[in-house]
Amino acid sequence: MQLYSVSQLLKQENTLPEVEVKGWVRTFRANRFIALNDGSTLKNIQCVVDFENTDEDLLKRITTGAALHIKGELVESQGKGQTVEILVNDLEVLGDSDPEAYPIQPKKHSFEFLRENAHLRTRTNTFSAVMRLRSTLSYAIHKYFNDNGFYYMHTPIITGSDAEGAGEMFKVTKLDDKNPPLDEHGNVDYSKDFFGKETNLTVSGQLEAETYAMSLGKVYTFGPTFRAENSNTSRHLSEFWMIEPEVAFMDLPGNMDLAEDFLKYVLNYILENNKDDLDFLEQRLINEEKTKPQAERSDMTLIEKLKFVIDNNFKRVSYTEAIDILRNSKPNKKKKFKFPINEWGSDLQSEHERFLVEKHFKCPVILFDYPANIKAFYMRLNEDGKTVRAMDILFPGIGEMVGGSQREERLEVLKEKMAALDIPEDELWWYLDLRKYGTAVHSGFGLGFERLVMFVTGMGNIRDVIPYPRTPQNAEF
């Protein structure tokens, strides 16, 4: 007898005399109908028990959350909602579930409650759909880069450099926290630490990825990153995953082309391979939108947002042009923006980015040539001396999705920028070496994976698109 997944059984076009399936009970009604789910699909398969010929004690053990092993015949369903069902011939309870204590009862639960039970929340339709989509997205990302000649590299998680220059990093140390060794100036002597220097958890793999791009040509890293930013918002995590490709001999326009092609590919892959999960999450959003005031409702459904990105060419607009548009816009003139745009050099907020995408251009937007003083040191300085070859890609409903740039390939210019920001050369000597030995134009970008998952699933809180969120005051599970 062959063991099938629920997904395989529901796709069967013919009846089968003998099937075997294992899964967890979602519901059991009338001592007859088991809704069984094994995580392979959003849908359950109905298993029909002959209760008159089944031991009463065994029937009592068929409770929500229990794990079952079922053997039977796959037949055409007599009821509504499914095309096939299993007539049970043999049933074994693999693992009991206390019906009084089991947290995930067949009813509506708040997301906050489910975060407190994150070890079980994927037994709900919403979170099983989200995590299947997350898995498919991850595969699509690797497939895209592999199919396009990129090499996958694993950048260090423990690092001695701060790629972003923000200083919000988690310290890695083996020193005694109550009595650390001190140097002659009374400061902690990190030369006595495990690595012989001060080290942290990485905020980005970009700098190391650049070194590999300058020998292998096209590389990407996709791994965990960490930020000790004390932000308890729906868009911040302390531990998150980043996708960061780096390409030698590629300028800023080439970087834009790559990012646009990449995003369209992975979103289209989801549309083609996760229809049931997307349809379910779209309906969840539609129902949620009905509870909001008319002014706060989205103009697009979930799938329409995905197609909005896939079907439209991304509009490329300079930061300077965007500032002029925003400064002269009705929301700005009528003081509707929470952060008014008054002058060139302002750091754009999500409300400005969404206005450009959703109201003004009505398509995804790539902003480029940002003021140098609001961007990172490694971005290439333009000839005007005040802007850098940076780019941000803006999506509907979420604002910035991708941040990238052409990297500064000129040694003296990079050294001047580092000096202006008090970044010691001896900390990044290896990074500077790239500009000494065969320097060339190169570019890359970073994409926060959880932000992409939020966009694809329509989830409003980033804590709900990662298995076990790490946030300030929370490291449960």
Side-chain angles (χ1 to χ4, degrees):
M1 191 176 293
Q2 182 178 344
L3 181 66
Y4 291 86
S5 69
V6 171
S7 175
Q8 288 172 323
L9 289 174
L10 292 176
K11 291 175 183 175
Q12 289 291 327
E13 296 180 356
N14 301 312
T15 59
L16 296 169
E18 292 184 329
V19 296
E20 192 174 344
V21 66
K22 297 177 183 179
W24 295 272
V25 177
R26 286 290 179 87
T27 60
F28 182 41
R29 57 188 176 86
N31 261 10
R32 184 170 171 80
F33 303 105
I34 302 169
L36 197 74
N37 191 284
D38 66 354
S40 63
T41 174
L42 185 74
K43 298 174 181 176
N44 308 317
I45 190 161
Q46 181 165 281
C47 305
V48 184
V49 178
D50 181 1
F51 67 93
E52 292 181 349
N53 295 307
T54 304
D55 182 76
E56 189 175 333
D57 289 337
L58 181 59
L59 289 174
K60 288 179 181 177
R61 295 175 65 194
I62 305 172
T63 59
T64 299
L68 305 184
H69 181 188
I70 286 174
K71 298 177 182 179
E73 181 184 357
L74 187 72
V75 300
E76 188 176 334
S77 179
Q78 302 301 306
K80 295 180 180 178
Q82 64 274 329
T83 56
V84 293
E85 61 189 17
I86 298 174
L87 297 182
V88 178
N89 295 327
D90 185 62
L91 185 151
E92 178 188 1
V93 178
L94 300 174
D96 292 287
S97 177
D98 183 346
E100 300 299 322
Y102 184 56
I104 313 299
Q105 293 295 322
K107 64 177 183 178
K108 188 177 179 64
H109 297 284
S110 71
F111 285 168
E112 186 60 45
F113 171 81
L114 291 172
R115 284 178 214 130
E116 293 169 0
N117 292 276
H119 60 305
L120 296 171
R121 64 179 176 173
T122 42
R123 295 195 189 182
T124 66
N125 284 340
T126 297
F127 283 94
S128 66
V130 168
M131 293 307 164
R132 275 190 297 270
L133 282 165
R134 181 184 172 103
S135 176
T136 302
L137 265 177
S138 180
Y139 173 77
I141 288 163
H142 286 298
K143 179 170 170 53
Y144 176 85
F145 286 124
N146 187 69
D147 290 351
N148 285 277
F150 282 74
Y151 297 104
Y152 179 35
M153 68 168 295
H154 300 110
T155 50
I157 290 173
I158 299 173
T159 179
S161 62
D162 181 356
E164 299 298 320
E168 296 165 334
M169 303 179 78
F170 290 103
K171 194 179 299 297
V172 176
T173 181
K174 282 285 289 178
L175 295 179
D176 185 345
D177 57 350
K178 293 180 180 178
N179 188 30
L182 303 178
D183 62 18
E184 60 203 35
H185 303 293
N187 299 317
V188 174
D189 185 359
Y190 285 105
S191 69
K192 304 288 197 306
D193 206 348
F194 186 89
F195 292 106
K197 62 183 294 186
E198 188 173 356
T199 52
N200 307 284
L201 295 180
T202 186
V203 297
S204 169
Q206 178 207 313
L207 302 188
E208 291 88 352
E210 277 188 58
T211 67
Y212 267 54
M214 294 305 285
S215 55
L216 296 180
K218 297 198 290 188
V219 302
Y220 75 105
T221 180
F222 181 4
T225 52
F226 309 84
R227 185 160 294 174
E229 184 178 1
N230 192 18
S231 294
N232 235 324
T233 76
S234 62
R235 298 180 69 176
H236 288 87
L237 289 169
S238 301
E239 176 185 280
F240 51 99
W241 288 67
M242 287 289 293
I243 301 118
E244 296 172 295
E246 292 289 329
V247 183
F249 313 115
M250 186 175 73
D251 60 10
L252 185 63
N255 203 21
M256 295 180 189
D257 292 341
L258 172 65
E260 181 173 348
D261 188 59
F262 164 73
L263 287 165
K264 288 182 174 181
Y265 174 88
V266 296
L267 296 183
N268 194 60
Y269 193 92
I270 285 290
L271 279 177
E272 291 179 351
N273 291 277
N274 287 70
K275 186 178 186 305
D276 287 345
D277 291 324
L278 277 177
D279 286 345
F280 171 81
L281 291 170
E282 175 165 87
Q283 190 57 53
R284 186 196 74 80
L285 269 182
I286 290 170
N287 294 336
E288 188 179 89
E289 289 286 309
K290 291 176 182 176
T291 67
K292 296 179 181 179
Q294 189 70 38
E296 296 178 16
R297 295 181 187 177
S298 174
D299 295 333
M300 290 182 279
T301 67
L302 178 60
I303 292 174
E304 284 172 347
K305 281 182 183 177
L306 300 186
K307 290 183 176 178
F308 177 88
V309 173
I310 295 166
D311 295 340
N312 284 300
N313 292 326
F314 292 14
K315 179 71 175 178
R316 302 181 183 190
V317 184
S318 72
Y319 168 89
T320 300
E321 183 183 347
I323 285 292
D324 288 340
I325 291 168
L326 290 165
R327 187 190 291 126
N328 295 314
S329 68
K330 285 184 179 179
N332 197 56
K333 288 182 175 179
K334 294 185 176 181
K335 303 188 185 307
K336 294 285 182 69
F337 283 145
K338 183 179 178 181
F339 299 94
I341 296 291
N342 296 316
E343 59 186 22
W344 191 92
S346 302
D347 205 351
L348 300 187
Q349 305 296 320
S350 180
E351 60 179 342
H352 309 133
E353 295 166 343
R354 290 187 59 184
F355 173 82
L356 293 169
V357 172
E358 298 167 30
K359 303 299 182 184
H360 189 82
F361 290 110
K362 293 182 169 53
C363 66
V365 173
I366 307 180
L367 294 186
F368 63 91
D369 286 355
Y370 278 80
N373 62 354
I374 62 172
K375 289 296 183 180
F377 76 95
Y378 51 73
M379 297 184 177
R380 194 188 199 279
L381 190 66
N382 280 317
E383 285 65 31
D384 60 15
K386 65 176 186 176
T387 62
V388 288
R389 292 182 189 170
M391 68 156 189
D392 286 347
I393 299 182
L394 315 180
F395 271 19
I398 203 165
E400 182 190 338
M401 179 59 70
V402 165
S405 73
Q406 185 174 319
R407 312 312 190 189
E408 182 56 77
E409 85 282 9
R410 298 166 297 182
L411 178 62
E412 292 308 316
V413 176
L414 184 59
K415 289 170 72 172
E416 288 172 10
K417 293 176 76 174
M418 288 172 62
L421 294 169
D422 294 323
I423 300 173
E425 288 186 21
D426 58 359
E427 283 189 12
L428 291 174
W429 62 270
W430 48 272
Y431 189 68
L432 291 171
D433 266 7
L434 297 180
R435 280 76 184 167
K436 296 178 182 177
Y437 312 123
T439 190
V441 167
H442 60 288
S443 302
F445 62 82
L447 166 62
F449 185 49
E450 282 72 30
R451 185 164 288 197
L452 181 63
V453 180
M454 283 179 73
F455 181 75
V456 167
T457 60
M459 300 298 281
N461 194 314
I462 200 166
R463 294 171 174 85
D464 297 326
V465 297
I466 191 168
Y468 296 108
R470 297 292 179 251
T471 54
Q473 304 298 308
N474 176 39
E476 197 65 54
F477 304 103

